[in-house]
Amino acid sequence: MDKLLYIAASGASQDLMATGIRSNNLANAQTTGFRAQLEQARAMPAYGEGLPTRVFSMTESPSNNYESGPIIKTDRDLDVAIQGDGWFAVQGDDGQEAYSRNGNFKLSTDGILTDVNGRAVLGDNGPLFLPVPLDNLTIAADGTLSMRQVGAPANVIETVGRLKLVSPNYSDMERGTDGLFHMKDRSVADPSANVKVMSGMLEGSNVNAVEEMVDMISLQRHYELQVKVMKQAEELDTRGNSMLRIL
C-alpha cells in the first residue's frame, strides 16, 4: 500500500511544481521581452538500501523558449527591439552584468539610461550616461546612440555611446531569480557586432497564452487524479485493518 501512496503523492507534488511554472508563464504573457520557461517530467530511480526498484517523478525546467516574440511598434525614441538573436546587457540587482530582451528604456533625471525596472543599461564601457537635457535622441541599428542637446544647432548631432549587445550560446546561459539571464559560469559575454536593433519598437512576450492555459487545465486534472489515488489507497488500508480486527 505504501508504494501506491508514494507514487501518487510524488506525482501530485510534481504536478504542483509544473503548475507553478505554467502559471508564471501565463502571468508574463504581456511582459515585454519575456521568454517562456519549459517544463518536463521524468522518472527518477529512488536509491537507498537494496536495489533501486522504485521510481519517483521529477518536474524540471531544463531550458527556456528562445523564440522571438511579436514586434510591437511604439514610435518612442527609447523603445528598442532586437532583431533575431541577441540580448541587451544591464546591471543586475547584484551589481553584475546580466542580459535581457526588454528594450523599454527610460532616462533618469541624472541622465542614466535604465530599463523599466530602474537597472542601468550597459554600453561597451559600462553604464550609459547621457547629457541632459537632450533632444532628438536616435538609436541606430548597431546600438549607437546619437543626440542633440537642447539649444544646439539642428545639424549638431553627437554620438554619446553604444548599447552593449551580446549573443552568447543559449546553452551557456541560465535564468536567474531576478528574471534576468546570466552566464552559467558568471562570466561576461563579449559584445557582438552581428546583433541588430530596431528603434521605436518593442518585443512582446513569446508566451502562447492559450497553450499555457490548456496545459494548466491538464495538470490540474492530473493532480485531481493523483489525489483520488491517494484516497483510494487510504480506503484500501482502512479495509485491510478492518479485516485484521475481524481475524
Side-chain angles (χ1 to χ4, degrees), residues 219-235:
L219 286 168
Q220 290 172 353
R221 296 287 174 81
H222 194 260
Y223 176 81
E224 292 173 358
L225 177 62
Q226 303 287 10
V227 173
K228 289 181 179 179
V229 172
M230 285 188 282
K231 290 182 178 179
Q232 186 67 32
E234 180 184 11
E235 182 179 346

Side-chain angles (χ1 to χ4, degrees), residues 116-184:
V116 68
N117 295 307
R119 305 183 182 99
V121 178
L122 302 180
D124 292 333
N125 299 308
L128 288 167
F129 294 87
L130 307 182
V132 290
L134 55 82
D135 190 20
N136 194 27
L137 176 67
T138 60
I139 302 177
D142 65 350
T144 300
L145 284 79
S146 303
M147 52 146 290
R148 177 174 64 86
Q149 285 189 295
V150 174
N155 61 342
V156 177
I157 303 296
E158 59 178 311
T159 300
V160 292
R162 179 180 179 274
L163 297 171
K164 182 176 180 180
L165 304 171
V166 303
S167 185
N169 293 328
Y170 294 140
S171 59
D172 296 331
M173 305 180 72
E174 63 182 1
R175 187 195 301 266
T177 56
D178 53 4
L180 301 174
F181 286 80
H182 307 260
M183 302 299 290
K184 290 181 178 179

Side-chain angles (χ1 to χ4, degrees), residues 54-127:
R54 301 185 187 182
V55 297
F56 64 94
S57 58
M58 183 180 73
T59 298
E60 58 185 359
S61 179
S63 185
N64 305 278
N65 181 358
Y66 291 108
E67 293 182 0
S68 298
I71 300 300
I72 305 167
K73 185 176 181 181
T74 65
D75 291 325
R76 180 173 172 269
D77 292 340
L78 290 178
D79 284 344
V80 190
I82 292 178
Q83 304 180 53
D85 295 335
W87 304 85
F88 300 110
V90 299
Q91 190 171 53
D93 297 334
D94 58 358
Q96 302 299 313
E97 183 171 304
Y99 308 103
S100 170
R101 294 279 297 196
N102 191 341
N104 184 10
F105 299 147
K106 297 182 178 181
L107 194 62
S108 71
T109 55
D110 299 327
I112 303 175
L113 189 66
T114 68
D115 66 6
V116 68
N117 295 307
R119 305 183 182 99
V121 178
L122 302 180
D124 292 333
N125 299 308

